[in-house]
Amino acid sequence: MASGLTRKPFWFLRHGETDWNARGLSQGNVDIPLNSVGIAQAARAAEALRGKEIITIVSSPLSRARDTAEAAGAVLGLPVQVHDALREVSFGAQEGQEMSGWFNDWVEGHMTPEGAESFAALRERTVGAVNFCLGQPGPVLIVAHGALWRAFRAEAGLPANVRTPNALPMWVTPPPPGEEAWQFEPLALG
């Protein structure tokens, strides 16, 4: 049960594509910039968010998320706040490596790469980060990362190891009374 999460609806947006995303490499805290596809994805997501009720934008400090958030901020006429706890997980020795073999075991809590943050620790940090964001004037747009979103999914009563597409805005709502799983509604992109 996701009792530790603040039960407020919000927007979530994973950053646009990077070269490492395209190659299936784990980025973690390596600050890989958006590639040309990612820049176009961020612009398209920003346009899709035009006219949506968003009061505050909070982003990870890593440039791939911050630049995606800035694209939305430019369209929405809003400044972007940076919250360090939204940064992507540290994958330690696996940063820059292919996300096969070890990744499922990490999400399931069977192993943590050398020098990395455990999935359990990421879940705890994610709850605090999302709750901080939801304490800002809302509705809030949170711009962050894939592994962090997997941790949110785990806390939100959903299967954790599901890939979130790059730059697809999602309206996230808490579960109705008597239910445990949060709902995600992807926004149609034009």
Side-chain angles (χ1 to χ4, degrees):
M1 176 83 177
S3 59
L5 289 166
T6 299
R7 291 177 171 251
K8 286 184 182 177
F10 65 97
W11 288 97
F12 178 79
L13 180 60
R14 182 183 176 212
H15 60 79
E17 184 185 87
T18 69
D19 286 344
W20 282 22
N21 286 143
R23 292 172 52 201
L25 303 178
S26 60
Q27 295 172 111
N29 276 292
V30 181
D31 200 2
I32 306 299
L34 296 175
N35 62 20
S36 59
V37 170
I39 292 167
Q41 288 174 333
R44 189 172 79 171
E47 281 301 322
L49 288 166
R50 185 186 296 277
K52 301 298 179 195
E53 186 182 355
I54 296 172
I55 304 297
T56 303
I57 302 173
V58 188
S59 173
S60 157
L62 296 173
S63 67
R64 58 191 183 267
R66 199 177 62 248
D67 291 348
T68 301
E70 292 288 351
V75 166
L76 299 172
L78 295 171
V80 173
Q81 297 178 33
V82 173
H83 186 54
D84 192 65
L86 289 174
R87 80 174 36 250
E88 183 60 297
V89 67
S90 170
F91 286 123
Q94 291 295 334
E95 291 192 357
Q97 304 301 310
E98 289 187 13
M99 294 182 68
S100 59
W102 64 274
F103 191 78
N104 290 342
D105 286 339
W106 173 75
V107 170
E108 292 168 9
H110 300 310
M111 63 82 73
T112 299
E114 180 182 341
E117 185 176 9
S118 70
F119 191 70
L122 175 62
R123 284 177 66 163
E124 184 176 326
R125 177 166 61 85
T126 298
V127 170
V130 169
N131 287 350
F132 170 85
C133 294
L134 296 180
Q136 309 308 304
V140 174
L141 168 61
I142 298 173
V143 185
H145 304 275
L148 182 134
W149 195 242
R150 282 173 166 90
F152 179 87
R153 288 180 61 89
E155 289 294 319
L158 296 163
N161 204 2
V162 174
R163 187 180 186 283
T164 301
N166 290 99
L168 176 63
M170 289 185 289
W171 179 239
V172 182
T173 54
E179 295 185 27
E180 292 187 18
W182 287 58
Q183 304 295 313
F184 304 154
E185 183 181 338
L187 189 59
L189 297 176

